Amino acid sequence: GAVVSQHPSRVICKSGTSVKIECRSLDFQATTMFWYRQFPKQSLMLMATSNEGSKATYEQGVEKDKFLINHASLTLSTLTVTSAHPEDSSFYICGVGGSHNSPLHFGNGTRLTVT
Amino acid sequence: AQTVTQSQPEMSVQEAETVTLSCTYDTSESNYYLFWYKQPPSRQMILVIRQEAYKQQNATENRFSVNFQKAAKSFSLKISDSQLGDTAMYFCAFLYTGTASKLTFGTGTRLQVTL
């Protein structure tokens, strides 16, 4: 069965609105979760590492005020895209688990389209 | 910084045949992990196989095996008895075992299995 649940799978929103994406670890408690972004026909780019009970660690070039990450419990991390713009349209995927910060299990991803 | 290179953007193989996907990486680290992930059209990332750098024996998972050449920094994936369900994007990934490490993905190889 699924180890990671990501919701929603698809979302369409208007420019200027905010969208929240949820990532749930179903089988184990995760102190660390990872948020990736994937452009069409490209690889996964790590956006940030979500840390339970503390601030997320953002990769260089990722706007922390635009991509808000909350990791309030050991099973849930959320990514909120604030004031979305068409250029934020992408595929977002979360990763959970593994050792040495390796996300062995990924969610099914969320396709965000900003109109 | 670590880099992962997949030099084959696309490959095709007939059903039941064997195909090898190449991956090279560059690092100054000696302790690390290497992974192959599969991303089918559903976009879910699935871990195919994992190799610890300190192990000389090549990892094997059913029809999937790797040829790990540490000195050459090469990590190829061999798929035997290819099946239609193997059609997917395949990403090679690197993770060193230091603190604050993160997965680095290659650009991917699109594999098409044909009848």
Side-chain angles (χ1 to χ4, degrees), chain A residues 16-32:
Chain A
T17 61
S18 295
V19 174
K20 180 184 285 187
I21 303 170
E22 293 187 349
C23 180
R24 293 182 183 273
S25 174
L26 301 180
D27 283 0
F28 55 90
Q29 296 178 330
T31 56
T32 304

Side-chain angles (χ1 to χ4, degrees), chain A residues 10-11 14 16 27 33-34 51 53 67 71 77-78 85-86 102-103:
Chain A
R10 290 177 179 270
V11 59
K14 293 186 177 180
D27 283 0
M33 295 186 182
F34 305 87
N51 303 301
F67 298 98
H71 193 156
S77 175
T78 61
H85 290 283
S102 163

Side-chain angles (χ1 to χ4, degrees), chain A residues 34 36 38-44 46 59 91 93 98-109 111, chain B residues 33 35 37 39 42-47 50 89 91 95-103 105-108 110:
Chain A
F34 305 87
Y36 291 85
Q38 186 179 29
F39 291 102
K41 297 185 179 181
Q42 293 190 26
S43 188
L44 276 70
L46 181 64
E59 295 300 303
F91 187 72
I93 189 166
S99 61
H100 298 283
N101 296 326
S102 163
L104 291 183
H105 304 285
F106 289 88
N108 287 342
R111 176 167 298 287
Chain B
Y33 294 85
F35 307 85
Y37 284 92
Q39 188 178 41
S42 67
R43 303 297 294 273
Q44 183 180 10
M45 293 289 285
I46 302 168
L47 178 66
R50 165 183 170 140
M89 281 289 290
F91 292 99
L95 175 76
Y96 84 96
T97 57
T99 56
S101 59
K102 60 186 180 184
L103 268 180
F105 286 92
T107 52
R110 182 173 300 278

